[in-house]
Amino acid sequence: MTEPVVIAIDGPSGAGKGAVTQHLAQRTGFHVLDSGALYRLTGLAARLDGIELSDAPAVAAVARGLAVQFIPTQSGNEPFEIMLRGVAVTDSIRTDQAGVDASTVAALPMVRAALGDRQQAFRQAPGLIADGRDMGTVVFKDALVKIFLTASPEIRAERRYNQLKNKDMDVSLPALLESIQARDTLDSNRAVAPLKPAEDAVVIDSSGMPLEAVHEAIWAVVSKVVT
Ligand code: DC
């Protein structure tokens, strides 16, 4: 039996993967995997349990046992209400600190292994749009389309700033830029599943592009193979 198709959207933090993923999901009717949310949820759950984020076996156990739900929303900024252990954490996993914690636990090979099957389970008919860092290089190596979406750190920090401001979060642009650069370094230099384009990925730099143009550039690639 052939597996449902996967479209992998990888790239660094703030490149616009989330918006592109939602756009593609609307156009194709495919399911969505926000793999970054799983790492963010693991970091948050470990903190709630009082576990040191460097304690790989304990954090991996948290990852394996994550009780999460992604409930589609009909309106609002977020496509899903995300529940951890029955409590809505949609906004609390989006803080900059939650991103740093996610990046820290994501560098642990045991944690990546623990989340592997959970990510595979999102692959269901009619297809999947998978958003992350290693969707095309590790988790869904056989993805039909692989996009690596990037932008300069300054532009990504500005986009993140606007997103978090929209959620009424107290953020500073210079601090966000520093955090994004630190996260890029951590995500790109880790031993397991580092952030890098797959050899067969189409690389799109969205730095000078309005969102509409990014959507169209990606649809031009996807629509050649997905009808
Ligand atoms: O996409 P995001 O900002 O929500 O991801 C948060 C962190 O999780 C990111 O800094 C690195 C990690 N991550 C990862 O290592 N692999 C993925 N597939 C997705 C996210």
Side-chain angles (χ1 to χ4, degrees):
M1 208 179 76
T2 53
E3 294 256 46
V5 298
V6 175
I7 299 172
I9 312 287
D10 287 309
S13 180
K17 303 186 303 291
V20 161
T21 298
Q22 286 317 313
H23 181 79
L24 285 178
Q26 274 165 13
R27 277 182 112 146
T28 57
F30 285 8
H31 299 280
V32 166
L33 165 61
D34 176 357
S35 61
L38 294 176
Y39 289 98
R40 286 171 182 265
L41 286 158
T42 300
L44 177 62
R47 282 211 181 264
L48 291 172
D49 291 351
I51 290 167
E52 288 289 330
L53 299 188
S54 55
D55 183 346
V59 181
V62 167
R64 269 191 300 277
L66 269 188
V68 299
Q69 286 167 283
F70 291 81
I71 303 169
T73 53
Q74 301 309 321
S75 58
N77 291 335
E78 295 285 344
F80 298 104
E81 179 87 277
I82 302 179
M83 312 291 289
L84 173 65
R85 301 169 180 166
V87 177
V89 293
T90 317
D91 284 344
S92 47
I93 61 161
R94 297 296 167 202
T95 64
D96 192 52
Q97 184 59 47
V100 174
D101 287 352
S103 192
T104 304
V105 299
L108 304 171
M110 285 176 82
V111 171
R112 302 200 76 82
L115 291 176
D117 287 349
R118 200 183 277 269
Q119 294 177 81
Q120 292 289 345
F122 281 78
R123 185 174 198 165
Q124 286 179 20
L128 177 68
I129 321 282
D131 162 345
R133 302 292 187 289
D134 61 343
M135 300 294 97
T137 50
V138 177
V139 182
F140 302 108
K141 272 192 186 150
D142 64 338
L144 187 62
V145 185
K146 299 179 185 179
I147 307 277
F148 191 86
L149 185 63
T150 188
S152 72
E154 290 74 17
I155 298 254
R156 291 188 280 124
E158 209 178 299
R159 289 182 187 157
R160 231 336 106 78
Y161 177 82
N162 291 331
Q163 269 172 2
L164 297 179
K165 273 277 168 203
N166 272 340
K167 290 182 189 289
D168 289 329
M169 288 186 192
D170 190 18
V171 277
S172 112
L173 186 56
L176 272 182
L177 177 59
E178 205 176 304
S179 171
I180 275 200
Q181 285 170 324
R183 209 131 63 87
D184 282 356
T185 305
L186 193 60
D187 293 346
S188 306
N189 293 305
R190 65 181 176 224
V192 181
L195 169 67
K196 61 167 190 208
E199 278 174 14
D200 47 350
V202 177
V203 179
I204 295 179
D205 185 335
S206 70
S207 296
M209 293 168 78
L211 190 57
E212 272 308 304
V214 177
H215 287 331
E216 287 318 310
I218 289 181
W219 184 245
V221 177
V222 171
S223 59
K224 274 193 201 138
V225 278
V226 175
T227 45

